[in-house]
Amino acid sequence: RQRAAQRRTAMIDSLRNLPAPAKLNLFLHVTGRRPDGYHLLETVFELVDLCDRVHLRRRDDGAIRRRNPIPGVAAEDDLAVRAARLLAAETGCTLGADISIDKRIPMGGGLGGGSSDAATVLLGLNRLWGLGLGRRRLMALGLRLGADVPAFVFGCRAFATGVGERLRALPAAPQWFVIVAPPVSVPTASVFASPELTRHTKPLKISGLSRGRSVYRGKNDLEPVVCSAWPRVAEALAALRFAADSAGADGRLARMTGSGACVFCPVPDEPVAASIRKRLARQAVGTIHSVRSLRRHPLRDWSFA
């Protein structure tokens, strides 16, 4: 099967403008802690149309190189580079790749940009190198890079448990969101290490969500810790809630995504999103994005034969 896949891709030497979408955690509950220290989580991942762009070119010498600098991220630490090297090592592939990434997703904001880039590299090189690995194998490799990576390979709105790797599809109608990225970066490890973090939220049931229970009835257990330690996040959240209420949305639904620093609010439609953006533009709260949910990851329909 791998040889057949390699023949189909023999004429392809590059893949450009591969999308790596951002995610929102519609809620994020910490439900416990494993003996190894990893936190047990419960969340819904929503993919949105704010995307990094990944460019891949095949190399025949086996080298894996990142071709453009990313401020604050050394190539050796970049999840995208690590994803390529892990894929090559696990499959015995002797090909290499040049990797370039156009960053559009705010870094250190809880939107999963680095994890999404890594997932897109796994998906892209699986095709470019003609490996023919199935989605589940790629998800397992992604988990070795980070807990969010499998969700992007999974490729649709998902209810997640465990450390974030147990995923079940959760269909939903399209939704608009306004995202505010305050001018701070929040280190995830310090948030999870905080003694103030709630670690025993009562788990929800997937059956309730499947029957239409609102995903916005949950909360983000990390939000109080981050808002206390990073006042700019608290300011952005308060401003977003006020602007949403003033524009006809429900500001009570605004919350932080992931471990921050970005905050978001679901809104009824694009005109309301535009109104909120206009109101927030008068304040120095950060970069503002209006985005729409994605029914599927743009690469999810790729063949895995």
Side-chain angles (χ1 to χ4, degrees):
R1 190 174 73 172
Q2 183 171 327
R3 285 196 297 271
Q6 288 173 334
R7 284 196 298 271
R8 285 195 295 272
T9 59
M11 301 303 293
I12 303 174
D13 65 359
S14 65
L15 293 169
R16 296 189 57 79
N17 289 313
L18 299 180
K23 59 83 177 172
L24 297 173
N25 297 98
L26 300 187
F27 61 81
L28 180 54
H29 299 158
V30 182
T31 59
R33 200 171 190 177
R34 300 192 317 195
D36 60 7
Y38 281 91
H39 288 80
L40 297 173
L41 307 175
E42 180 181 68
T43 188
V44 167
F45 287 106
E46 182 87 88
L47 303 184
V48 298
D49 61 2
L50 174 63
C51 298
D52 289 344
R53 292 285 168 175
V54 177
H55 313 283
L56 302 172
R57 178 174 291 278
R58 189 179 64 211
R59 298 176 62 114
D60 295 326
D61 61 1
I64 293 170
R65 301 280 187 267
R66 192 181 72 187
R67 307 308 299 179
N68 65 311
I70 298 176
V73 182
E76 296 301 310
D77 299 326
D78 192 332
L79 280 180
V81 174
R82 291 171 55 197
R85 290 178 177 166
L86 176 63
L87 185 62
E90 289 297 308
T91 61
C93 183
T94 59
L95 296 172
D98 288 331
I99 302 171
S100 300
I101 302 174
D102 297 334
K103 292 296 295 180
R104 303 175 188 180
I105 300 172
M107 297 172 61
L111 297 175
S115 295
S116 188
D117 296 342
T120 291
V121 166
L122 290 175
L123 293 166
L125 291 182
N126 187 45
R127 170 167 286 201
L128 190 63
W129 290 345
L131 300 175
L133 301 186
R135 189 182 308 281
R136 289 291 173 183
R137 178 78 184 281
L138 293 175
M139 288 172 62
L141 291 177
L143 183 59
R144 293 168 60 179
L145 298 164
D148 285 351
V149 180
F152 292 103
V153 178
F154 189 66
C156 64
R157 192 195 216 211
F159 177 70
T161 56
V163 296
E165 86 289 4
R166 299 175 189 166
L167 299 159
R168 293 183 62 175
L170 192 65
Q175 176 70 59
W176 282 91
F177 300 91
V178 173
I179 300 173
V180 180
V184 293
S185 179
V186 175
T188 299
S190 67
V191 178
F192 277 103
S194 171
E196 306 302 319
L197 177 63
T198 297
R199 293 181 170 86
H200 301 289
T201 293
K202 184 178 179 180
L204 297 175
K205 293 183 178 180
I206 182 63
S207 58
L209 293 176
S210 298
R211 289 194 302 267
R213 175 177 174 172
S214 174
V215 293
Y216 305 114
R217 288 178 60 183
K219 55 188 172 65
N220 186 331
D221 285 334
L222 281 58
E223 186 179 295
V225 175
V226 174
C227 286
S228 176
W230 286 271
R232 294 301 298 269
V233 178
E235 292 167 9
L237 185 56
L240 177 57
R241 285 173 174 158
F242 183 80
D245 285 336
S246 301
D250 188 348
R252 295 173 300 177
L253 302 181
R255 63 194 55 172
M256 190 179 76
T257 180
S259 58
C262 290
V263 297
F264 71 94
C265 186
V267 300
D269 51 40
E270 188 175 14
V272 172
S275 177
I276 294 172
R277 290 190 65 178
K278 184 176 180 180
R279 295 167 191 271
L280 289 173
R282 303 172 190 146
Q283 309 174 54
V285 293
T287 305
I288 309 158
H289 304 270
S290 55
V291 302
R292 199 166 188 247
S293 62
L294 294 172
R295 186 178 66 87
R296 300 164 72 86
H297 191 294
L299 305 182
R300 196 177 198 276
D301 290 329
W302 275 10
S303 169
F304 284 83

